[in-house]
Amino acid sequence: MGAPRLSSTPLPGIGVRYDLTTHEHRHLSVVAHRDGERTLSAYRKDDPDDCALSVRLTAEESATLIDALLPAHHTPNLLSTTDLGLVAERIELSGSSHWNGRLLGETRMRAATGASIVAVLRRAEAIPSPTPAFRLAGGDTLIVIGTREGVEAAAEILGRE
Amino acid sequence: MHSSAVFLIEFGAIILALGLLGRFAGRLRMSPIPLYLLAGLAFGEGGLLPLGASEEFVAVGAEIGVILLLLMLGLEYTASDLVSNLRAHYPAGLVDAALNALPGAALALLLGWGPVAAVVLAGITWISSSGVIAKILGDLGRLGNRETPVVLSILVLEDLSMAVYLPILTALLAGIGLAAGSVTLAIALGAAALVLVLAVRYGRLISRVVSSDDPEKLLLVVLGLTLLIAGLAQQVQVSAAVGAFLVGIALSGEVAEGAHSLLAPLRDLFAAVFFVFFGLNTDPASIPPVLLPALALAAVTTLTKIATGYWAARQGGIAPKGRWRAGGTLVARGEFSIVIAGLAVTAGIEPSLGPLATAYVLILVLLGPLTARCTEPVATRLSRRRRKAASTAEAGKDPSPARLDDQDTVGRA
């Protein structure tokens, strides 16, 4: 078993089918329709020619699913902005955070990372567009939007104890 | 202008009725084709509501409907699809033709309708409906199945065969002699071969000439080109439908995609008109006498299609269950059987042919989805029972494995 290989079969009039056999000898396939939709199928164990599951996905749904399948992502993506190169994430301040009781302006977030804090979720309310004079508290959840790198850097700054 | 008001009222009523029938069919998750045919029967002569003023327009619309049906079919395929399929699967195509065209021809000869009607009926029983079958595969979630490429390749070969079959049929129906007929056929085959070669080599170039970013212009160019070529094809006795099919094949890439989405609504409208027109020309009273032959023909050709699919899937290394599924899926006949019958009806050969074709297609368009779903479970249960019977009969020996399991392990690597 080397790297997994996709084999492709043309389906005239419909599109192309890509097949994958996993390390557990299960078969998966994706039918690429011409209109950009995809059909994801998994095969039955007892009948290798038949599908146990067959789900039709739109182009956007496929992109979202790919997002979840990519190993690098382990945080739920708030907005599906991947096609713009931007990500939005929820970052929580711990109770013992360095920033507990300090002002938002002191984080110098935008200057250091280019990421913006667009809202703060505190208990049951959301504070949109907090100003630099906004006082942070442990347990706050900050919604940060920026490039992937910018948001990673912001998470690092906000994670200071 | 009184007559134009009558025309609008009549034509509007037809289209509206079709729309409502289509919604009803959608709710039942079935193909709307049988309902359109029934609507035509209801409106036409001997039906509930004889039409007058819009008859002529419906006739022209029906012709455009056939042209658009075949254009869209051509757009579905690229020329390389067709050529590679022809190379890889021609045995399946030949088996398909032999098993399914012969029963139709045999019945026409039995009924004493003569050789031309035999060729017509052969075509009606031979060509499965790609439209209905593609929908069945999607609905049953079988697009990913391993036997599906086998089913699709048979459909492709049938569609390609239409490019040869239709010119022969038009020549026969026109009653031209052997020499003139041969010339026509040579022209048709030459044109088809030329289009395939051109499309494989210069498909991009052709598409670039036709291409336009503006949907309106693209629609006009593609539609105009198709009707023009179809008309020219008709002029040299090749059959307008084949001309349209070849235009569809010659267009590929982005143009095909764009034209597909632009023309789909037009095709739906005019194809519906075509089915109604066919029904209009059929007197409902003429159906009961041919119902029995139609049922017999449907039964025989259901079995032959299942056999065809089984055989082709076995050649493709599919396990027995998949072979039965492939066979059951292929049963549905539909739009092209009606197209072929329509040509014969307009040419005015055997009067019972139209009613027979109508009854036959009505039966199989309804039966097709059922056989697609049930052939495999039924066959599996039967073979299991046979296996049990065999093993009890041969007590002491190994239970004999079901026949035809010889390639069971292929494709399981």
Side-chain angles (χ1 to χ4, degrees), chain B:
Chain B
M1 288 319 288
H2 176 67
S3 68
S4 90
V6 174
F7 161 75
L8 286 176
I9 291 168
E10 278 187 2
F11 192 63
I14 295 176
I15 300 289
L16 180 63
L18 292 183
L20 296 175
L21 284 173
R23 284 183 63 171
F24 179 65
R27 191 151 309 163
L28 295 180
R29 307 202 59 176
M30 62 181 251
S31 159
I33 295 174
L35 293 180
Y36 295 159
L37 283 173
L38 290 173
L41 287 176
F43 280 123
E45 51 188 295
L48 312 170
L49 274 175
L51 289 182
S54 50
E55 194 95 48
E56 204 170 315
F57 182 79
V58 170
V60 175
E63 227 167 293
I64 294 177
V66 173
I67 289 169
L68 286 177
L69 268 174
L70 272 120
L71 168 71
M72 298 292 275
L73 188 69
L75 286 176
E76 294 277 345
Y77 304 129
T78 60
S80 49
D81 265 352
L82 293 176
V83 173
S84 63
N85 247 298
L86 191 59
R87 280 207 193 120
H89 300 287
Y90 72 90
L94 290 175
V95 168
D96 177 41
L99 280 179
N100 297 294
L102 289 177
L107 181 74
L109 294 174
L110 276 177
L111 293 172
W113 288 357
V116 177
V119 173
V120 175
L121 206 51
I124 291 172
T125 54
W126 170 23
I127 309 285
S128 291
S129 162
S130 2
V132 174
I133 288 172
K135 195 172 170 307
I136 291 174
L137 287 171
D139 285 350
L140 295 180
R142 288 190 189 166
L143 285 176
N145 277 23
R146 229 168 283 235
E147 74 271 2
T148 296
V150 174
V151 172
L152 292 173
S153 64
I154 288 181
L155 294 178
V156 174
L157 288 172
E158 285 180 359
D159 295 336
L160 194 54
S161 315
M162 291 274 279
V164 181
Y165 170 83
L166 283 176
I168 296 178
L169 185 66
T170 14
L172 284 172
L173 290 173
I176 43 183
L178 192 63
S182 312
V183 170
T184 302
L185 189 60
I187 291 175
L189 287 178
L194 185 71
V195 166
L196 281 179
V197 170
L198 284 179
V200 170
R201 289 245 170 108
Y202 307 107
R204 285 215 188 97
L205 198 69
I206 298 171
S207 297
R208 204 178 304 155
V209 172
V210 177
S211 182
S212 160
D213 288 339
D214 182 7
E216 184 188 347
K217 295 188 186 74
L218 181 66
L219 173 70
L220 294 177
V221 168
V222 173
L223 191 60
L225 184 71
T226 307
L227 293 177
L228 181 71
I229 303 261
L232 289 173
Q234 190 80 316
Q235 197 63 38
V236 293
Q237 297 275 7
V238 167
S239 148
V242 171
F245 181 61
L246 294 178
V247 172
I249 288 171
L251 297 176
S252 60
E254 276 177 33
V255 176
E257 308 256 323
H260 200 279
S261 53
L262 283 172
L263 289 165
L266 270 184
R267 187 248 341 239
D268 294 342
L269 169 65
F270 285 110
V273 169
F274 165 70
F275 293 125
V276 170
F277 175 71
F278 188 80
L280 282 179
N281 286 340
T282 308
D283 184 355
S286 61
I287 287 189
V290 293
L291 204 52
L292 208 60
L295 273 170
L297 192 59
V300 171
T301 53
T302 295
L303 294 176
T304 53
K305 269 292 178 198
I306 291 177
T308 305
Y310 187 97
W311 185 87
R314 190 174 147 196
Q315 296 301 102
I318 304 294
K321 279 186 175 181
R323 296 175 203 167
W324 290 116
R325 274 196 300 272
T329 307
L330 279 169
V331 169
R333 314 291 202 283
E335 61 273 41
F336 292 110
S337 303
I338 297 290
V339 168
I340 293 165
L343 288 173
V345 170
T346 15
I349 60 165
E350 183 57 42
S352 308
L353 193 64
L356 179 70
T358 309
Y360 176 78
V361 169
L362 281 176
I363 295 165
L364 282 187
V365 91
L366 296 175
L367 190 68
L370 289 177
T371 55
R373 195 169 312 206
C374 306
T375 306
E376 182 260 320
V378 169
T380 310
R381 196 164 305 161
L382 285 178
S383 72
R384 208 175 287 151
R385 197 174 298 172
R386 205 181 316 144
R387 223 177 300 185
K388 261 198 199 127
S391 63
T392 46
E394 301 177 24
K397 286 186 195 168
D398 285 342
S400 67
R403 288 173 312 140
L404 303 168
D405 278 357
D406 42 298
Q407 293 174 326
D408 214 7
T409 47
V410 179
R412 230 185 247 200

Side-chain angles (χ1 to χ4, degrees), chain A residues 107-116 144-147 149-157:
Chain A
T107 61
R108 316 219 24 245
M109 180 70 67
R110 200 174 303 203
T113 67
S116 304
V144 185
I145 291 191
T147 59
E149 296 76 21
V151 173
E152 300 272 353
E156 207 163 306
I157 292 174

Side-chain angles (χ1 to χ4, degrees), chain A residues 103-141:
Chain A
L103 297 180
L104 180 59
E106 291 175 55
T107 61
R108 316 219 24 245
M109 180 70 67
R110 200 174 303 203
T113 67
S116 304
I117 294 168
V118 294
V120 176
L121 310 178
R122 181 174 287 174
R123 289 189 292 281
E125 58 169 339
I127 300 113
S129 311
T131 59
F134 180 83
R135 199 171 289 283
L136 293 163
D140 283 354
T141 300

